[in-house]
Amino acid sequence: MPTNFTVVPVEDAEEGGGSSGSSGSAGAAGGSKPVRLDQIFGEEDNEDNLQGEDSQKESSPFINSDDDGEPYFDGKNMALFEEEMDSHPMVSSLLNKLAIYTNLTQGVREHEEAENEDGVRRVTVVVPQMGTFIGVYLPCMQNILGVILFLRLTWIVGTAGILGSFAIVSMCCICTLLTAISMSAIATNGVVPAGGAYYMISRSLGPEFGGAVGLCFYLGTTFAGSMYILGTIEILLTYIVPTATVFKEGEDAAMLNNMRVYGTCCLVLMALVVFVGVKYVNKLALVFLACVILSIMATYAGVIKTVIAPPEFSVCLLGNRSLRNEKFETCAKTEVVKNKTFTTDLWPLFCNSKQPNATCDEYFDLNNLTEIQAIPGLLSGVIKDNLWGNYGPAGMWIEKKSQPSVPVQEISTDTNKEYVFNDITTYFTLLVGIYFPSVTGIMAGSNRSGDLRDAQRSIPIGTIMAILTTSFIYISCVVLFGACIEGVVLRDKFGYSVKKNPVIGILAWPSPWVIVIGSFFSCCGAGLQSLTGAPRLLQAIARDGIIPFLQVFGHGKANGEPTWALLLTVGICEIGILIASLDAVAPILSMFFLMCYLFVNLACAVQTLLRTPNWRPRFKFYHWTLSFLGMSLCLSLMFVSSWYYALVAMVIAGCIYKYIEYRGAVKEWGDGIRGLSLNAARYALIRLEEAPLHTKNWRPQLLVLCKLDSDLAVKHPRLLSFTTQLKAGKGLTIVCSVLEGTYMTRGNNAKTGEQNLKAAMAAERTKGFSHVVVSSNLRDGFSLLIQSAGLGGMKHNAVLMAWPVGWKQARDCSARRNFIETVRETTAAHQALLVAKNIDHFPGNQERLKQGTIDVWWIVHDGGLLMLLPFLLSQHKVWRKCKMRIFTVAQMDDNSIQMKKDLQMFLYHLRLDAVVEVVEMHDSDISAFTYEKTLVMEQRSQMLKQMQLSRTEREREAQLIHDRNTASHSATNDKAPGATPDRVHMTWTKDKLVNERNRLRESMAVKDMFNMKPNQSNVRRMHTAVKLNEVVVKKSQNSQLVLLNMPGPPKNMKGDENYMEFLEVLMEGLDRVLLVRGGGREVITIYS
């Protein structure tokens, strides 16, 4: 009787409404869910489930049951894809996951998850929403404008001149602009999590480049912290509290020591602030930025004011030399007070007393004092004097060239300290290195990509606008400083000639203190930002796991704060502070930042040229030529700034690169370098296939046939050791194995076997490729590998395998047949074959053979591979101390003396060092032993043929015996006479009749086996094998390795079973033997 049922639609079930009739009853029975087929046919499903695991999986083909824990898919629209929903989610699910994606730093996310698991409190993470102006533009402005602008830019303009300074600023700004364009392309090609430049470079150029450049960027940021702290202390001790010095003995040494002491204290204080909480640093960021903006506005206001009324700051010149005026007020030798002449405070500085008749410095006597305006003003025309540079050595006086002066012969060292002079030797390239840190900071926006509302829009616009703004500020400052300020004042680095005020401060309006206070807080803020950002960058690198020894720095406090990374940063920062000179630290961080920018440009250029499918930046205004131009400019600026610092930075990056390459974790990030390698490999493979390989370039490209045991482990690992010794990492090596079965059933075994092969190759230091194939039988699998392994021009030309040791003891002849077929196929494919006997006795890679010989028995010439192999082995340290001996066989008609001379000359032309020996083998009668050995071999082969029944034949034999017994029993008891003939007729087939006749014939053949005579061809071959073996054993029994020509298998396949026996006889009594069969081409030549 048919069963009536109704399937309720999902929409109706959800709404709670039922249909009339049976729909309502179904809705009542099923609640809010529709009636499912597996509920109605529940009994049938339960019965089917007893059939096995596969049936259980398919018991509910439409909708999963409630108890299985799998997701419930409403409706039948996606039923076709139902079984794949776990691994291939629906598009709606994917979009839902993307919508709730939060771009948090790793530490914050871990902290949130930990608190949720504890159940103490739930942290509600609000996704930050910052726009272009707040999130990118202002941070970049704050990082770019800083200490160099306030403390060194006026000195750079005075030393290099307006034109030279304009060139320096233009080069650096163009460099950062081109880098920003490349960075914008990378940053808009997908989501960039926190990590900034490191993340972009590592995901674009791979973990090696990413780790190297990431550490360089980290070191640059750390040394930037040192520079900002040194700038802070310089402002404090020079302009704010000049009396707060610890050391007062020698002027220069004391200043450096004071910088070290106060710098260390400031570093510790800033580190404590960062350790206590980053939120305080972030809250103060706007204050520090306001200080920078106010200082710049005060500078522009001061420039405008010079047009109306120049500031009342003057410079005192003695002759044409600028004087330090903090110890006197009047720029004159004497002054008249109430008609009386008195010496000024300047007099005792150059004379031995205050009296007018005192003995004074000769230059002081001969030259007059002149007072000039420090800031003549924008319309004064001083710009003409400041167009060109004034470079000079350390200790050179700062002089106004147009001022008259009377020179003197002897220079007094006592009065030198009253002049203003160069503290360091100045030249153009030095100024480039000192200035470049003032344009760094362009990565501030990309570092905050996780906090932006729309990072792919904000990063390009904000970064490029910040660079254009700051470039305008710097270039305008260069021009305005040169147009407003006197040259001797510009070259006065610390403002000694203007009452120890910062030079930019005397230009600012309304007071120099605006610049002093503003630059002080600006440097403090920048230092705090560096100490905040550098540890997080190091933590990101450590957590990626690409540099093993940095793992400890990936840990931190419970909320993810990088405590250990902060300690390392403070230690490195202290190194910069101990240098104690802002001018010496600036070129160091210039190198690291330039290297980072260089690789950003390289990453963009590589990705653009490769045209990878994933390279789809939203920022379209880029081109690979711009990236290459930026990369070239970065490299040029590195060597222009300081060639030795550039080399040191490159060596550091190179060492980190190689360390990650050899010791780091293997990461696959879809980087451009991998794509570049693929393109290069494709190009090389195509080129290799265009022309045949020349003999001079021939080397064994090995296909190593390995066996795996029942646990899928490598059966003969010494085969891989021998491969390493033979190849030394050069050329192509493919290590492969074959599993019997089908790929659907043994696919996981194949992957496991391949992993085991790779592990064994790594243990034996074999460089190459591994591959495991699954085939219905071993013979077909190895045949497939011999034919198709390799790609294009990178194909193997030689096969290496182990001698099948147990072929005699095997029940079936598969091992013998597989081996012989492999020999035939390599010969047909014109590939060389190397067969190692007793491979487990071969030396490992750690062994060193102190002495011994490698003996080559050159019987027939098949391309010269026998000569080449010992030479290749002797290049490895295992075989390096073994001598090479070459034996050849002379027949009765050969001149053995002439053969030896010819062979020695041949080896001389081949540039091989070997001892030559010619062995004479005279024709002799075939011994009884040889006859007997041949007879035993043939009898054994014949017996194996007769005993070799297949499994089906044995089953048929058993069935035949069973049928006979049944028929006999029926005939005796005379029961069911019609049944027995039918059964006999069903089982006694024509095949069984033939098998029965063959069995009778074979029983007769066994009787005749012991009366057989050996085949004469086999006797002759056995005679050759026995005689040759006697000679080889006599000469080479104690040698470390014996290389023998491998005779080919017989063309008639009926003699296959005897071929293995001949080879066994040939190698009998020898420990390590390598049978060599050439590929049919010359592999060694005497020509250059």
Side-chain angles (χ1 to χ4, degrees), residues 40-201:
I40 296 172
F41 297 103
E43 295 180 3
E44 286 85 343
D45 288 342
N46 291 336
E47 292 175 3
D48 292 340
N49 287 346
L50 299 175
Q51 296 176 3
E53 187 178 344
D54 294 336
S55 300
Q56 288 177 3
K57 292 181 180 177
E58 297 176 0
S59 61
S60 178
F62 294 106
I63 303 173
N64 294 324
S65 61
D66 293 332
D67 299 329
D68 57 4
E70 295 182 3
Y72 177 84
F73 301 107
D74 291 337
K76 304 183 291 296
N77 293 335
M78 294 293 113
L80 186 61
F81 302 95
E82 194 170 272
E83 294 182 354
E84 297 180 339
M85 286 295 183
D86 292 336
S87 58
H88 299 77
M90 292 177 64
V91 174
S92 57
S93 304
L94 178 66
L95 294 176
N96 187 36
K97 290 178 182 177
L98 291 176
I100 60 173
Y101 172 74
T102 56
N103 198 345
L104 299 173
T105 59
Q106 192 171 1
V108 174
R109 192 181 299 115
E110 286 176 356
H111 181 47
E112 177 194 4
E113 291 171 358
E115 289 181 340
N116 288 340
E117 288 171 4
D118 294 339
V120 178
R121 62 190 176 100
R122 184 177 181 85
V123 180
T124 304
V125 179
V126 181
V127 179
Q129 297 292 322
M130 288 198 293
T132 304
F133 186 75
I134 297 293
V136 180
Y137 182 77
L138 290 182
C140 286
M141 289 279 290
Q142 182 183 359
N143 279 267
I144 294 172
L145 299 171
V147 61
I148 301 295
L149 172 65
F150 300 119
L151 296 183
R152 291 293 183 269
L153 189 58
T154 53
W155 172 71
I156 290 172
V157 173
T159 306
I162 295 175
L163 297 179
S165 303
F166 185 82
I168 293 172
V169 173
S170 299
M171 278 195 304
C172 296
C173 290
I174 290 172
C175 176
T176 54
L177 181 62
L178 293 174
T179 304
I181 291 172
S182 298
M183 184 195 72
S184 299
I186 298 173
T188 58
N189 187 50
V191 179
V192 178
Y198 161 69
Y199 184 90
M200 288 189 293
I201 295 171

Side-chain angles (χ1 to χ4, degrees), residues 853-858 867 883-889 895-910 912-919 1035:
T853 58
I854 299 175
D855 289 356
V856 177
W857 284 85
W858 192 23
M867 307 287 187
K883 304 296 182 184
M884 179 177 168
R885 295 193 302 179
I886 294 184
F887 296 90
T888 189
V889 177
N895 184 343
S896 57
I897 297 175
Q898 188 61 38
M899 279 180 66
K900 184 172 183 178
K901 289 181 180 179
D902 293 342
L903 184 54
Q904 286 174 339
M905 182 58 66
F906 181 58
L907 291 177
Y908 175 78
H909 288 304
L910 289 176
L912 295 176
D913 296 326
V915 177
V916 175
E917 189 169 340
V918 178
V919 178
K1035 297 284 186 180

Side-chain angles (χ1 to χ4, degrees), residues 252-393:
D252 296 333
M255 185 62 182
L256 293 177
N257 289 330
N258 287 326
M259 296 278 282
R260 292 184 180 110
V261 172
Y262 280 96
T264 304
C265 296
C266 183
L267 173 63
V268 172
L269 189 63
M270 287 184 177
L272 287 175
V273 171
V274 173
F275 180 77
V276 168
V278 184
K279 57 183 179 181
Y280 301 113
V281 179
N282 293 331
K283 287 178 180 178
L284 292 172
L286 281 177
V287 177
F288 298 140
L289 180 59
C291 292
V292 175
I293 294 172
L294 284 174
S295 301
I296 293 172
M297 291 175 64
T299 305
Y300 281 114
V303 171
I304 296 171
K305 185 178 178 296
T306 60
V307 179
I308 304 165
E312 296 180 357
F313 282 96
S314 59
V315 182
C316 188
L317 300 178
L318 178 60
N320 63 356
R321 299 176 187 174
S322 179
L323 295 177
R324 302 168 66 131
N325 66 354
E326 68 264 25
K327 295 181 181 179
F328 60 89
E329 294 293 334
T330 306
C331 182
K333 296 180 182 179
T334 58
E335 58 182 347
V336 178
V337 180
K338 296 180 182 180
N339 295 326
K340 289 185 179 181
T341 303
F342 295 95
T343 58
T344 62
D345 293 335
L346 186 60
W347 187 274
L349 298 177
F350 291 92
C351 302
N352 57 8
S353 70
K354 286 190 175 184
Q355 301 302 320
N357 58 355
T359 305
C360 297
D361 179 65
E362 185 181 1
Y363 189 82
F364 183 75
D365 285 336
L366 296 176
N367 290 278
N368 296 322
L369 289 165
T370 309
E371 192 171 20
I372 61 173
Q373 273 189 313
I375 301 178
L378 193 61
L379 305 177
S380 63
V382 74
I383 188 171
K384 296 177 182 177
D385 299 330
N386 294 331
L387 278 177
W388 308 104
N390 288 278
Y391 302 104

Side-chain angles (χ1 to χ4, degrees), residues 710-752:
S710 57
D711 297 328
L712 301 178
V714 178
K715 195 171 184 180
H716 301 295
R718 286 295 168 87
L719 198 62
L720 300 178
S721 305
F722 184 69
T723 304
T724 304
Q725 296 157 21
L726 187 62
K727 297 286 292 176
K730 304 295 190 302
L732 175 69
T733 302
I734 304 174
V735 182
C736 56
S737 187
V738 179
L739 298 179
E740 279 191 291
T742 62
Y743 190 75
M744 297 301 295
T745 57
R746 302 207 64 184
N748 291 332
N749 289 345
K751 293 176 182 177
T752 305

Side-chain angles (χ1 to χ4, degrees), residues 116 135 215 236 270 272 342 374 383 407 489 530 595 605 666 724 817 953 971 1049:
N116 288 340
L215 279 182
L236 180 71
M270 287 184 177
L272 287 175
F342 295 95
I383 188 171
V489 180
S530 297
M595 182 163 289
V666 178
T724 304
R817 190 167 61 248
E953 288 173 340

